[in-house]
Amino acid sequence: MIKFILYLIRWQLSTPIMAPVIAYFTHSDKIFGSPEDWFATSMANLVGGCIFFWVDRFIFKSKAIEQWEVIKSGKCYDCGQRGWVRRLVLAPSGYNRVKDPAPEYRCKKCSQKKLRQLKKRKEI
Ligand SMILES: [Zn+2]
């Protein structure tokens, strides 16, 4: 419940940016928007927050979607190349490396190779 309330507050933080923009595009008399513009924007953010809390939760926590962990400057486990590396954390098939004590990150090329191996072995 706390996360939901924080999420709604976060959505309201965009109101000071959106209300003047909406006022501009609706040719409002007031450059920063009327009280109605602010109220409407605030209500839109409330409705949007109530909807997208669940959408975001599905996207970021669902086991129906692959989850990857990315490091911008890491070292590839296979080839040793430094730079952008990633690892598969969760896959819809039940592949779960959330609590992997020794996570293995790979560069894009090695990651794709590893992914093909996992698919071949039907692990994902
Ligand atoms: Zn590599």
Side-chain angles (χ1 to χ4, degrees):
M1 188 65 177
I2 293 293
K3 282 185 179 180
F4 182 62
I5 291 168
L6 289 173
Y7 190 82
L8 293 178
I9 291 169
R10 190 203 66 75
W11 267 72
Q12 291 301 325
L13 293 176
S14 69
T15 301
I17 297 164
M18 290 178 60
V21 171
I22 289 170
Y24 174 79
F25 284 107
T26 57
H27 309 290
S28 176
D29 295 338
K30 298 177 181 174
I31 192 163
F32 290 108
S34 65
E36 291 82 18
D37 292 330
W38 280 76
F39 181 74
T41 305
S42 182
M43 288 299 107
N45 279 332
L46 180 65
V47 172
C50 288
I51 294 168
F52 285 99
F53 178 80
W54 304 107
V55 173
D56 286 356
R57 191 175 194 164
F58 174 76
I59 291 170
F60 296 112
K61 296 216 172 181
S62 172
K63 290 183 178 177
I65 299 171
E66 288 180 352
Q67 286 183 28
W68 292 83
E69 194 174 292
V70 175
I71 298 177
K72 288 182 180 175
S73 57
K75 185 179 176 185
C76 178
Y77 182 82
D78 289 343
C79 71
Q81 181 182 329
R82 293 202 165 270
W84 184 94
V85 290
R86 69 179 184 173
R87 76 180 186 105
L88 182 60
V89 179
L90 280 174
S93 62
Y95 181 88
N96 186 340
R97 297 292 188 274
V98 173
K99 294 180 180 175
D100 191 341
E104 298 172 359
Y105 295 89
R106 291 178 171 81
C107 66
K108 186 175 181 180
K109 187 179 173 186
C110 294
S111 177
Q112 288 171 339
K113 186 179 171 186
K114 177 72 175 181
L115 211 53
R116 282 193 298 272
Q117 290 172 352
L118 290 173
K119 285 180 180 173
K120 202 173 184 178
R121 295 193 309 237
K122 304 209 185 289
E123 289 187 46
I124 58 168

